[in-house]
Amino acid sequence: MMTNQKHLLSFFFILSLAGLGSIQLSMAKEVIRVGVVLDLNSSVGAIAKSCMTMALSDFYAKHAHYRTRLDLRTRDSADDIVTAASEASYMMKKEKVQAIIGPQSSAEAKFVVELGRKAKVPIISFSATSPSLSPSRSPFFVRTAFDDSAQVKAIAAIIEAYSWLEVVLVYEDTDYGNDLIPYLVDAIQEVGARVPYRSVIPPSSNDAEILREFGRLKSTSTRLFLVHMTASLGSKFFILARKIGMMSEGYAWIVTEGLSTLLDPVSSEAMDSMEGVLGVRPHIPMTKYLEDFQSRWKQPNKMTAGLNLFGLWAYDTVWALAMAVEKVGTTSSSSMKHNTSKVHNLASLETSNMGKNLLETIPSSKFQSLSGNFQLVKGQLEPSTFEIFNVIGNKERIIGYWIDQQKGLSRQLKYDKSEAEKSDVNRRLKQPIWPGDTTDQPATKKLRIGVPIKEGFTEFLRWENKNISGFAAEVFNAALAKLPFPLPHYLLNFSGTYDDLLYQIKEGKYDAVVGDTTIVANRSLYVDFTLPYSESGVSMVVLVENNERDNIWIFLKPLSLDLWLTTGAAFIFTGIVIWALEHRVNSEFRGPPQQQLGVILSFTFSTLVFAHREKVVNNWSRLVLIIWVFVVLILTQSYTASLASMLTVQRLQPVFTDIREIKRNGYNIGYQKNSFIKGFLKENIGFEESKLKAYVTVEDYNHALSKGTNNGGVAAIFDEIPYLKLFIAQNCSKYTMVGPTYKTDGFGFAFPRGSPLVSYMSRAILNVTQDKSKMDSIEEKYFRNQTICDDQSAKISSDGRSLHVYSFGGLFIIAGVVSMFSLLMYMYRFLRSQWPTLRTTIHSENSFRWKMVELAKHFDRKDLTSHPFTRRTSRVHAMDTPDDSAIGGLHDANDMQNNSAVENNIDVNENE
């Protein structure tokens, strides 16, 4: 029995030794040293260290079977760049660390990253968020946090949602503060706002220096401030802002991620001072895992500061590194190659074989972390949704989310497309409480608007009791109503030239100028104009005369001289053609030469009243006569209409029609006082200053033009078209605009160069001017007389009103072609029919003159074979009244007279 017991005890002893050996074997883990560089005296550093300790414990409690273990070697940077680099170098050389977590600030990270590149040791930072520190440019740098530039689109979306036009940037003078500013400025400008002022505050600034900077901030017209600082400087800044009264009603403040993620570390006094502030920070979804961690973290940690985002990122960084180390393995963990080169004069470093493998493995780590979905893109944490919060008391209230650039702002984390498309900001964000415990949205500081004092043409602008009226004022007020935001302002009058008034904007005395201000090139060098709200152009107005109705030669006015001459020539030419076509076949076109000349003239001129008594028997003559009668009809009707218009409608003739004539004769010319016209006349047209006279009112214009050039007046008034139309409207039929129109861009409102208000006001002006009913009502209110006189302008012409030959050129060409064609065809037939006779009577030795005489004699004879003479000859034989002379032919002038008498008898018998 005892023997069995001994054997049994021996068996259990052996089993226990075997189990103990297996346990010891399983506990043999490879330790990987990892350096940690933090500012342990800061709240961020203390919280991060605590979170990393818990991360190490939680990770290996869950992954107890892993063959590797991280050994975190923590060093204090003391918030000093050199100390951070020295500690990192020490751990790389002496402690053989395979990776370094940290350092805490971006400035420290820039130096340590260079050491890591030399030693091939990955530098993993959860808090160095400066955009200038990029993993793409630093291959051994990994950022397990968001790049600061990821938040700028969300900030710009807030500015756009509240229609803020100007933002003052306030940031600390460090790498962290300066590096983000270019990204912020670009994003702000993309949404139509601008940055008129930047306030840079060194971290070492004392209260007095910060208060002096607050004085400069208060002097600006902007009441929206964007603050980009760390918690230490930000706490002091907002406490002083409250003391100086800049956390009161009318101000708006936005803080960036660097301060908004650290609201818990700031003091309660600072939190009270920040009431009404808006902030942007990454959205961390609240999960059961995170709630459990928060409850466990509070128990051993008795620090006053609460858990922040950097603590969560530090926790996630340890998990990602532990996973990567396990994947890489342990074969190269203790292998370090000696490097004799000096790096920053700190120490000689050795290169790590494991570092490169870790660098390739860490970015591939993906897991559900405390801060959300852990996934690195291009060496840094992929940005996610940002939340917009409002500080109320000692707490923050979430008022909305920025989901991404495409979806924009939303009241709910779940994207609602119909909600995002609404223009009202309160539909996209919840109502915030602004500084001063108010719900009224802060706006820009009241604009100082300069208004010119006008003594004349008050229909455009009038200053009365610190208020303005007139056409320009009505358009401005209508445009203000179209803006998507309120524009508080007050008016300041200005007495002087318009150029001097606009220059006050450049000097900062005015924020805008409202009035009948003309948009010209030289003014745009120092101000920006809105789109014009009136018609453009510069012209001149002159006196008109009316003396035509008393002219005894007015009946000659309807046709110009060239048309009179052309018409007369056409009458004579047509008469000659008709005579030539009718002479041989129509006895009415025969007789003594003086009688035939009278027939030629009387026949065509009698067609004016269609009273010609001579009958035409030749078909070619009839064709010519038809076309000619049509020409005469058009001419007479046009003449009658033009003469009737001259006699019944009042016609006004301008005294001058050309500005060069006025300049050449040395006459005086007038312009509106304080306008740019004086410089325009001198520089563009070349008038001497002694010939220019300034006037103020419409009555001054009327008096100067009425006196004339010889009595101390002016020959013309040069001004912009809107003024001239108003002047003419009040003096119908006395004046008219003549000469060329010089291009300008009309009236507009002026703002400082680069002001975002220009685009908003331009769109508002477009909406007003395109509203026809609105513009008609404004114009009717101030320019009702102008429509009454519009018809008078149709009666005024600056050039001749006679009809010219060019207007009837087509008719004369048609008539001439038809006449020539008919004449040529008739002559061709005549020569063809007379050629046998001419050939027997004309010999080749005869002179050309004799031949032409013989041809004329043949043409002068009657064509007895023609139908009219054949018919008449038959009638003469029937009446037994032989005509021997006719049978024998005509040989002299006496025979022509006898034949004429016989033909007259035949006509009488035919009529009977």
Side-chain angles (χ1 to χ4, degrees):
M1 185 68 180
M2 291 294 294
T3 303
N4 292 336
Q5 289 178 350
K6 288 180 180 180
H7 286 296
L8 185 62
L9 288 173
S10 299
F11 178 76
F12 280 113
F13 178 76
I14 293 171
L15 286 179
S16 63
L17 289 177
L20 181 61
S22 64
I23 291 173
Q24 289 176 348
L25 183 62
S26 64
M27 292 180 64
K29 306 295 184 181
E30 186 69 27
V31 177
I32 307 298
R33 295 177 180 177
V34 175
V36 178
V37 180
L38 296 173
D39 179 11
L40 298 179
N41 293 323
S42 68
S43 59
V44 174
I47 293 173
K49 181 182 178 182
S50 174
C51 289
M52 284 191 287
T53 302
M54 293 184 66
L56 207 61
S57 175
D58 292 346
F59 182 83
Y60 289 115
K62 186 176 182 180
H63 305 91
H65 61 285
Y66 275 16
R67 297 175 294 108
T68 57
R69 291 292 184 271
L70 294 182
D71 180 14
L72 300 182
R73 304 295 180 92
T74 304
R75 295 286 178 174
D76 186 7
S77 68
D79 193 24
D80 181 72
I81 296 175
V82 176
T83 302
S86 177
E87 295 293 349
S89 177
Y90 175 82
M91 287 189 289
M92 291 178 191
K93 180 181 178 182
K94 299 296 183 181
E95 300 188 2
K96 304 291 190 296
V97 295
Q98 303 300 317
I100 291 180
I101 299 176
Q104 189 170 313
S105 69
S106 298
E108 296 169 355
K110 288 182 180 179
F111 284 89
V112 176
V113 164
E114 183 63 21
L115 295 176
R117 185 184 66 82
K118 293 288 185 180
K120 293 183 171 51
V121 173
I123 308 300
I124 309 167
S125 178
F126 58 86
S127 57
T129 57
S130 172
S132 64
L133 192 62
S134 172
S136 61
R137 294 193 297 267
S138 304
F140 277 85
F141 175 65
V142 178
R143 179 160 37 214
T144 55
F146 292 164
D147 182 347
D148 275 343
S149 63
Q151 64 185 313
V152 297
K153 297 295 184 182
I155 294 172
I158 298 174
I159 295 171
E160 183 181 27
Y162 288 106
S163 300
W164 283 317
L165 303 178
E166 294 182 333
V167 185
V168 171
L169 298 182
V170 184
Y171 54 96
E172 64 179 50
D173 192 11
T174 61
D175 289 344
Y176 166 77
N178 293 315
D179 292 343
L180 183 62
I181 299 307
Y183 298 89
L184 280 173
V185 172
D186 290 344
I188 290 170
Q189 291 177 346
E190 284 180 5
V191 297
R194 73 184 188 111
V195 180
Y197 182 73
R198 303 182 190 185
S199 175
V200 185
I201 300 178
S204 58
S205 299
N206 54 38
D207 292 357
E209 293 171 337
I210 297 177
L211 288 173
R212 280 197 297 271
E213 185 60 31
F214 274 126
R216 287 188 282 269
L217 293 177
K218 290 187 73 173
S219 65
T220 65
S221 61
T222 307
R223 289 296 175 262
L224 170 62
F225 303 96
L226 176 58
V227 181
H228 178 56
M229 295 179 179
T230 55
S232 57
L233 182 59
S235 301
K236 183 194 301 184
F237 179 84
F238 278 103
I239 292 173
L240 294 176
R242 184 179 183 182
K243 289 182 178 179
I244 202 173
M246 293 185 67
M247 297 303 297
S248 58
E249 185 175 353
Y251 289 88
W253 297 85
I254 300 176
V255 295
T256 60
E257 173 191 324
L259 187 55
S260 61
T261 54
L262 296 174
L263 286 181
D264 284 342
V266 302
S267 63
S268 59
E269 183 183 4
M271 283 290 290
D272 291 339
S273 301
M274 294 177 66
E275 184 164 358
V277 170
L278 298 184
V280 175
R281 64 189 176 195
H283 170 66
I284 305 300
M286 182 56 67
T287 61
K288 186 177 180 181
Y289 181 30
L290 180 57
E291 290 179 355
D292 176 66
F293 175 80
Q294 287 179 330
S295 62
R296 290 188 297 112
W297 183 84
K298 290 179 181 179
Q299 293 174 3
N301 296 283
K302 303 300 181 181
M303 58 185 69
T304 57
L307 183 64
N308 58 46
L309 181 59
F310 291 122
L312 301 182
W313 281 337
Y315 184 96
D316 295 341
T317 300
V318 172
W319 274 60
L321 183 58
M323 290 180 180
V325 166
E326 182 67 20
K327 290 180 182 179
V328 169
T330 62
T331 56
S332 59
S333 63
S334 60
S335 175
M336 298 285 287
K337 294 181 179 179
H338 185 70
N339 185 357
T340 59
S341 62
K342 298 290 183 179
V343 182
H344 296 287
N345 296 322
L346 293 174
S348 60
L349 298 177
E350 296 178 346
T351 58
S352 169
N353 289 334
M354 190 179 189
K356 187 175 182 181
N357 295 331
L358 281 176
L359 194 66
E360 295 174 352
T361 307
I362 293 174
S364 63
S365 301
K366 296 181 182 179
F367 58 94
Q368 193 64 33
S369 64
L370 281 181
S371 60
N373 185 30
F374 185 91
Q375 181 177 358
L376 300 181
V377 177
K378 296 181 179 180
Q380 60 188 6
L381 195 62
E382 184 180 24
S384 61
T385 303
F386 284 86
E387 60 186 25
I388 293 90
F389 64 89
N390 180 211
V391 178
I392 303 175
N394 289 322
K395 297 182 179 179
E396 308 105 51
R397 170 175 169 260
I398 306 299
I399 62 172
Y401 301 89
W402 185 83
I403 299 175
D404 55 37
Q405 190 170 355
Q406 182 178 3
K407 297 176 181 178
L409 297 173
S410 175
R411 291 165 63 100
Q412 306 296 331
L413 186 58
K414 185 178 179 181
Y415 177 68
D416 186 347
K417 184 176 181 180
S418 61
E419 176 185 291
E421 290 176 349
K422 295 176 181 178
S423 59
D424 185 3
V425 64
N426 291 326
R427 301 293 182 90
R428 291 181 287 167
L429 294 175
K430 297 176 183 177
Q431 175 63 58
I433 303 298
W434 301 103
D437 195 21
T438 178
T439 57
D440 295 334
Q441 177 183 330
T444 305
K445 183 180 179 181
K446 284 189 175 183
L447 295 182
R448 300 162 298 172
I449 296 181
V451 178
I453 296 179
K454 292 182 68 70
E455 299 177 17
F457 295 97
T458 54
E459 290 83 357
F460 288 92
L461 190 67
R462 179 193 296 271
W463 173 272
E464 286 183 327
N465 300 325
K466 297 184 179 180
N467 206 347
I468 55 175
S469 61
F471 177 73
E474 290 279 354
V475 174
F476 176 69
N477 292 329
L480 288 182
K482 298 289 185 179
L483 291 177
F485 50 85
L487 190 67
H489 62 275
Y490 60 94
L491 305 174
L492 299 170
N493 58 24
F494 180 85
S495 180
T497 66
Y498 279 66
D499 288 336
D500 291 341
L501 171 60
L502 292 172
Y503 205 79
Q504 303 301 309
I505 295 178
K506 182 179 180 180
E507 293 183 348
K509 295 181 179 179
Y510 296 142
D511 301 311
V513 166
V514 171
D516 48 347
T517 312
T518 306
I519 304 171
V520 290
N522 64 327
R523 292 174 174 176
S524 64
L525 298 176
Y526 46 89
V527 296
D528 281 347
F529 287 99
T530 63
L531 289 176
Y533 61 86
S534 71
E535 61 182 320
S536 62
V538 174
S539 188
M540 71 174 182
V541 65
V542 297
L543 189 68
V544 294
E545 296 177 335
N546 178 33
N547 55 5
E548 284 189 355
R549 293 169 65 175
D550 300 329
N551 189 354
I552 62 174
W553 301 105
I554 192 172
F555 68 91
L556 295 177
K557 290 288 186 179
L559 305 184
S560 62
L561 178 61
D562 56 353
L563 185 55
W564 277 117
L565 295 176
T566 304
T567 304
F571 271 102
I572 296 173
F573 174 74
T574 304
I576 293 173
V577 171
I578 294 294
W579 174 83
L581 296 175
E582 292 291 325
H583 179 67
R584 301 187 72 244
V585 298
N586 192 340
S587 59
E588 295 186 8
F589 288 85
R590 301 183 67 81
Q594 63 273 19
Q595 181 181 349
Q596 294 184 54
L597 180 60
V599 170
I600 290 174
L601 296 177
S602 64
F603 178 81
T604 51
F605 282 98
S606 63
T607 56
L608 284 171
V609 291
F610 308 103
H612 51 285
R613 70 178 186 85
E614 293 84 2
K615 295 181 180 179
V616 293
V617 297
N618 192 332
N619 288 333
W620 292 112
S621 302
R622 291 169 179 162
L623 175 61
V624 172
L625 188 60
I626 290 172
I627 300 300
W628 175 248
V629 169
F630 178 71
V631 174
V632 170
L633 177 64
I634 298 299
L635 284 173
T636 54
Q637 294 296 323
S638 300
Y639 175 86
T640 303
S642 180
L643 181 60
S645 175
M646 290 182 178
L647 294 174
T648 57
V649 178
Q650 184 182 14
R651 289 284 177 167
L652 304 176
Q653 182 72 23
V655 177
F656 299 100
T657 60
D658 192 352
I659 186 68
R660 291 172 296 183
E661 178 186 357
I662 299 175
K663 179 183 175 184
R664 185 170 56 251
N665 294 329
Y667 297 144
N668 294 330
I669 195 165
Y671 66 95
Q672 188 177 168
K673 185 180 179 181
N674 293 332
S675 72
F676 75 100
I677 300 296
K678 180 180 179 180
F680 179 86
L681 291 172
K682 291 170 59 179
E683 297 171 7
N684 294 73
I685 304 181
F687 272 92
E688 297 178 3
E689 187 169 357
S690 60
K691 301 298 181 182
L692 304 179
K693 294 189 175 183
Y695 299 102
V696 176
T697 64
V698 172
E699 292 73 19
D700 293 343
Y701 279 13
N702 183 28
H703 182 67
L705 286 171
S706 300
K707 289 173 66 176
T709 58
N710 297 325
N711 300 312
V714 295
I717 294 290
F718 226 83
D719 209 340
E720 295 171 83
I721 289 177
Y723 299 124
L724 297 181
K725 283 189 172 182
L726 179 62
F727 170 63
I728 294 174
Q730 297 182 9
N731 298 274
C732 293
S733 303
K734 291 181 63 177
Y735 308 102
T736 184
M737 275 191 292
V738 295
T741 298
Y742 299 90
K743 180 66 176 175
T744 62
D745 285 336
F747 296 154
F749 305 131
F751 293 88
R753 291 288 301 273
S755 172
L757 271 175
V758 173
S759 59
Y760 282 98
M761 284 297 294
S762 294
R763 284 191 289 268
I765 288 172
L766 275 179
N767 290 330
V768 173
T769 55
Q770 290 179 358
D771 187 348
K772 188 175 184 304
S773 60
K774 180 68 174 179
M775 288 303 295
D776 287 347
S777 64
I778 296 176
E779 291 175 357
E780 173 66 20
K781 183 176 180 181
Y782 295 101
F783 310 129
R784 61 172 61 94
N785 291 334
Q786 185 169 320
T787 56
I788 299 175
C789 292
D790 281 344
D791 293 337
Q792 299 291 339
S793 61
K795 306 171 186 178
I796 301 174
S797 176
S798 61
D799 55 7
R801 296 171 301 282
S802 301
L803 300 173
H804 293 271
V805 68
Y806 186 80
S807 303
F808 302 94
L811 286 174
F812 288 121
I813 291 174
I814 293 173
V817 169
V818 171
S819 298
M820 287 299 299
F821 177 75
S822 300
L823 181 61
L824 291 175
M825 290 300 296
Y826 178 77
M827 294 303 297
Y828 171 75
R829 291 185 61 185
F830 164 73
L831 292 174
R832 184 178 180 183
S833 63
Q834 298 297 323
W835 181 250
T837 305
L838 291 172
R839 189 170 54 181
T840 59
T841 58
I842 299 175
H843 302 287
S844 58
E845 61 272 10
N846 295 332
S847 65
F848 176 76
R849 180 179 179 185
W850 189 89
K851 292 177 181 180
M852 296 304 298
V853 170
E854 287 297 320
L855 184 62
K857 288 180 180 181
H858 279 272
F859 184 77
D860 191 49
R861 294 172 185 171
K862 288 184 178 180
D863 185 6
L864 299 178
T865 62
S866 63
H867 174 68
F869 285 120
T870 302
R871 184 181 60 169
R872 291 175 180 177
T873 302
S874 62
R875 290 186 179 183
V876 169
H877 284 295
M879 296 172 63
D880 297 325
T881 55
D883 188 354
D884 295 334
S885 62
I887 296 173
L890 298 176
H891 298 285
D892 51 25
N894 293 331
D895 292 337
M896 290 176 65
Q897 295 177 0
N898 293 334
N899 286 331
S900 178
V902 173
E903 289 166 358
N904 290 336
N905 292 333
I906 292 174
D907 289 338
V908 173
N909 293 332
E910 287 177 346
N911 292 335
E912 293 175 354

